[in-house]
Amino acid sequence: MQRRALIVMPLCAGLPAWAHHGWSSFDQGRPLYLEGKVAQVAWRNPHVELKLDLPADGLKLPPDLASRSLPAQSAPVDGPALLKATQLPTRKDRRWEIELAPLSRMQAWGVPEIKQGDALAMLGFTFAGEKGDPILRVEYLFAAGKTYGLRSSPA
């Protein structure tokens, strides 16, 4: 048995690791706004993931963003301050990888299953300095006229 473990471990070391990013990996002092159409979706744990195609004519912050009503959630999130501080990304990627909440939390919020082609908007965080891949961890999801707070469960 030990001999097999010694053979398998080096083989596994060469496999790609699927990263799961905790909140601490993201620059939470710089909320970003994205909107677009869903190109791909994986409705599964550890969290729902999708690829979002941004509009070809560029992003614009909605004029009402800072005054939008936000749902109460169990995590201590200062939503109004996040809305007021929200910016557009400086990078020009047209496709972003989006990390939403785990399935159990999506169900607790009553988020309908997201499908390819759906139009979505979101506020979230990427890596400091927008370095690395274009990944956004979503704090607030704006879908079908509703707002969902994804950091925790509904309060």
Side-chain angles (χ1 to χ4, degrees):
M1 186 67 122
Q2 287 180 337
R3 176 173 253 165
R4 271 192 228 157
L6 292 174
I7 293 170
V8 172
M9 285 179 58
L11 292 175
C12 291
L15 295 175
W18 294 101
H20 179 261
H21 307 286
W23 283 99
S24 64
S25 301
F26 295 89
D27 181 358
Q28 296 178 60
R30 191 167 171 268
L32 297 180
Y33 177 83
L34 294 180
E35 67 179 41
K37 295 231 182 225
V38 175
Q40 293 177 309
V41 62
W43 196 261
R44 63 176 183 229
N45 279 317
H47 47 76
V48 175
E49 298 173 337
L50 55 94
K51 293 191 187 297
L52 187 75
D53 287 339
L54 306 186
D57 59 350
L59 287 172
K60 297 172 187 71
L61 285 177
D64 71 332
L65 184 63
S67 62
R68 288 187 183 179
S69 176
L70 298 173
Q73 56 182 321
S74 57
V77 177
D78 187 351
L82 288 176
L83 290 176
K84 288 178 187 162
T86 299
Q87 305 171 34
L88 295 175
T90 57
R91 60 189 307 151
K92 301 301 179 198
D93 300 272
R94 291 262 340 276
R95 179 169 281 184
W96 282 68
E97 293 179 40
I98 307 299
E99 294 183 0
L100 299 172
L103 283 176
S104 60
R105 200 171 311 141
M106 299 291 279
Q107 291 165 345
W109 280 102
V111 179
E113 187 169 346
I114 296 166
K115 297 190 176 18
Q116 184 176 354
D118 286 353
L120 298 176
M122 58 211 63
L123 179 154
F125 309 100
T126 194
F127 303 114
E130 296 185 31
K131 299 206 186 315
D133 293 329
I135 297 173
L136 190 81
R137 170 55 78 78
V138 176
E139 181 76 52
Y140 291 107
L141 175 66
F142 307 106
K146 292 188 177 184
T147 302
Y148 305 96
L150 301 183
R151 175 82 61 121
S152 61
S153 297

